[in-house]
Amino acid sequence: MINNDDSPIRKIIHVDMDAFFASVEQRDNPALRDQPVAVGGSAERGVVAAASYEARQFGVRSAMPSVTAARRCPSLIFVSPRFEVYRAVSQQIREIFSRYSDLLEPLSLDEAYLDVTEDKSQVGSAIRTAEKIRSAILEETGLTASAGVSYNKFLAKIASDQNKPDGIFVIRPHEGAAFVTSLPVRRFYGVGPKTAERMDRLGIHRGADLRAKTMNFMIEHFGKSAGYLYYAARGIDQRLVRSDRIRKSVGRERTFGENLSTDTALGAALEDIIESVWDRIEHNKVSGRTITLKVKYADFRQITRSRSCEQCLTNKSQFGATARALLAQLLPVSMDVRLMGLTLSSLSAVEPSRASRMVNYSVNSQRNFDF
Amino acid sequence: MKFSISRDSLVRSLNLVAGVVERRQTLPILANVLLVLKEDWLSLTGTDLEVELVGRIQLAVAGEESGEVTVPARKLLDICKSLPEGSEVKFSVKESKVAVRSGSSRFTLSTLPAREFPNVENSIGTHQLTIKQGQLKRLIDRTGFAMAQQDVRYYLNGMLWELDSKQLRVVATDGHRLAMCTLKEKINVTGEGGVQVILPRKGVLELVRLLTDDEADIQINIGSNHIRAATGEYTFTSKLVDGKFPDYGKVVPRSPNNILKGSRQSLRQAFTRTAILSNEKFRGVRLKLTENTLDIVANNPEQEEAEETVSIDYSGEALEIGFNVSYLLDVLGVLSGDQIKLSLADPNSSALLEESEEDDSLYVVMPMRL
């Protein structure tokens, strides 16, 4: 797979909307423009889902507890999310993408990879295509996007972040390896705070440090990600832009307004969560084999318990019973609980994910008899 | 109970009877085959409570002491299959064991009491007919592939048999494609009026295995809950699916006016090749029709592509339509004529596939969205 020297150089664009949810809110409500805005709940336990660039100047970040955000930026305006609007805008931008490529992989509502090697609309250059996409997005949605253009997904994604917001950055094939050398490891896709910390302890801070390590070293320390990181450090990433990405898990978690302290209250809360997760399972038309229960205690200690079944869980009573059995292992409750979550994974898609509906050949678009 | 039997005739019969036995059963005794000895006749019965098959073998030498016993079906079959061809197998029951001996091989099998062996209840037949095994085999072979598998619309997991006073027609569909075959020869049916029954999928698959002699008769007896079919050596009984089969006439396109005629073999080969690079799961291929030319294109998520050009006879409008290539190949695989006919209305409507020479079979395939 790696020895691919003969294959033509691919052209990949990563498009990422700038402060997506917050920008949509600022677009639709002029009073919010130029103001620090956080989309998310302002309640005591709320979390920031997205922050406007004005808010980011105060150090407000997404996934930050609303309380912390309000402390950092006292003038922060909290807005409740309107997901149906975001989804509609997301559809609009995906439609724009589809004018320029049939091979696109949405990563979330606001970002996607496009493989434009084929140059569907005969623009002539990937950079011009990226610019056309950005201006079409601005014209048709009133929002700005940033784009990264390169020869693989890894670099395209890093590039889109380089000149954010409303910017574009290009990493050409001969620049890739050198670009990665000076890149801090935490900017590698897939390297989160935990991995970055581990790398730090191993004396790996930049791409060059990573590149100096052998494959055996990588396997020993980074397990499954070893291959990806080894090649990424050399500016190589063979992952294809896949339009049929399937969802890996379905779940949901709830932070309680007040910590729960009794077994009964936890049991009741679990029933609620079972209901809503099952709804999502049905909505997404998936079934899965592994159920994971997550509990976060008042002291922020977090534990998970999971159980895998040999066959897919196909009915709600089975799903509920397994979830209850997992909770029973943790009872009687030793400390107040602030958060509980339930996730179904090892999924088999009953139908392909929404994302794959974009490209005809990887979609189950089989028509049915009408009887 | 004691008898001797030729290994070959036992294997032939046991193969069919054990086919009915499920690998996983709800009752231990359902893993067993019932052996009944009556003088020089041995009968073997396998059942899963839905489908029952009884095979009868005449012994060269009458057995000693008639009797009945049940033994593990799969193990007995595996033992007999691995004995040398042409050998004789001796059975004898001792207490609760069955001893099986052949040449220098000896086996002792556990048994369960024959009185506990369940039999599929048989309702009184309302319609009877006798046809040739070859006729029934053609009906099933031509349509069986289109039966649904484990569909929640349980009535699709089987085959519709539609009988009126002179005609037998079978239909199978999984909701995406439909296959229909009508017996060309007129038949004689005893019974009042017409009848529509659904045979369960498993019953159909087991029944067709019995039809080895095209010229021999098979007697069919249809009741309200069961169907029974008897050949000289076997009696097959199956429960019927209790449900209403969809109105298949509704899905057959009325008058598709874009008609393609082409060589079955060259189309089949072209589809087989393009299928290799279609999406493994959804199997979509794109058909582009222009005057006397068919282009078939397949893509997969790895961006690989297959393209075939086939010359055909076509003067309809230029058209692009997508299909699950497996559905087309299934049909081309069972048709036999040199020429086939594909009739299309538009890219969103069902397509009709037929042979140009024979006219007993008809296939409807829904397209994929492009």
Side-chain angles (χ1 to χ4, degrees), chain B residues 2-36:
Chain B
K2 204 168 173 186
F3 60 93
S4 174
I5 187 170
S6 104
R7 174 259 180 211
D8 301 348
S9 55
L10 181 59
V11 166
R12 201 179 322 122
S13 185
L14 199 53
N15 231 336
L16 292 167
V17 170
V20 175
V21 175
E22 290 285 342
R23 282 178 190 275
R24 290 183 178 174
Q25 320 79 21
T26 44
L27 293 170
I29 201 162
L30 295 180
N32 283 14
V33 55
L34 171 69
L35 305 177
V36 179

Side-chain angles (χ1 to χ4, degrees), chain B residues 233-244:
Chain B
E233 295 168 291
Y234 298 98
T235 303
F236 161 93
T237 311
S238 171
K239 277 190 183 174
L240 294 171
V241 178
D242 183 17
K244 187 164 168 23

